[in-house]
Amino acid sequence: MPIVGAIALHVSLLTFTLRVHPDRLDYVDQALGSCVKKLSGKPKLDDNRATKQVVALLSAPLEKYNDVVTALTLANYPSVMDHLDNVTNKVMAMVIIKSIMKNNTNITTADNVLVFVFMFITICVWFRISGLLLRHGLCYLLIDASAIQQYYILFYIFICQ
């Protein structure tokens, strides 16, 4: 089966899981893990249709839970993202930021801020922001910032740099 077909099946499985068992995050994570197993050992996706399917797969938990923190704390979420190329990682970064803004998500604990920041460091490696975060102490700034300040800081780091 071509990889785009396999990923489309995983999108369907995840969509089904989110509709039937929205309260079972372990099922959602297992569906993502199944996709990771299918993609393991393969190079980063270069098929446009396959990458669109992976974006749909990763967007589904964001849309269902309306909470970025819930999606980003799924163990297999970053593993799926590892199979995307740099351009698609930027697309996913924008999807995540738009979800935060649309749902007015508050990232209230230091642990959640760190999960969020480290996920974006992983997403935006080609922005080369890890040195910027450490140089300017932005991790500490984000922990003490209000929600809207966090958004502006992250927007500046990930989009404007």
Side-chain angles (χ1 to χ4, degrees):
M1 171 182 287
I3 194 71
V4 68
I7 297 171
L9 284 175
H10 284 93
V11 171
S12 297
L13 173 64
L14 182 62
T15 302
F16 175 78
T17 302
L18 289 168
R19 285 191 182 142
V20 176
H21 300 288
D23 56 328
R24 296 294 308 263
L25 292 176
D26 57 325
Y27 289 174
V28 174
D29 199 41
Q30 285 177 3
L32 291 171
S34 176
C35 186
V36 169
K37 286 180 187 174
K38 181 65 179 174
L39 294 172
S40 66
K42 295 184 178 16
K44 291 194 183 277
L45 296 172
D46 59 358
D47 180 359
N48 193 28
R49 294 178 304 153
T51 56
K52 284 182 182 178
Q53 289 294 323
V54 173
V55 169
L57 181 82
L58 293 169
S59 298
L62 296 172
E63 293 167 4
K64 180 64 177 181
Y65 296 119
N66 295 326
D67 181 18
V68 171
V69 175
T70 301
L72 295 183
T73 55
L74 294 168
N76 288 301
Y77 199 91
S79 300
V80 174
M81 293 187 74
D82 288 342
H83 295 281
L84 297 174
D85 61 7
N86 291 338
V87 173
T88 311
N89 275 331
K90 183 178 179 184
V91 169
M92 271 313 302
M94 290 302 300
V95 167
I96 292 169
I97 289 172
K98 285 178 183 177
S99 175
I100 289 169
M101 298 303 286
K102 174 184 166 193
N103 299 312
N104 198 21
T105 302
N106 289 321
I107 303 171
T108 56
T109 68
D111 289 339
N112 289 344
V113 170
L114 291 177
V115 165
F116 186 71
V117 169
F118 289 124
M119 174 60 74
F120 269 100
I121 289 172
T122 302
I123 293 171
C124 300
V125 168
W126 66 283
F127 279 115
R128 299 179 187 178
I129 60 158
S130 57
L132 179 69
L133 282 172
L134 297 175
R135 252 183 283 135
H136 297 290
L138 291 176
C139 287
Y140 298 108
L141 179 61
L142 283 170
I143 291 169
D144 293 330
S146 70
I148 194 68
Q149 290 169 329
Q150 291 171 2
Y151 301 143
Y152 285 128
I153 292 166
L154 291 170
F155 181 78
Y156 174 78
I157 293 169
F158 301 116
I159 306 304
C160 298
Q161 292 293 317

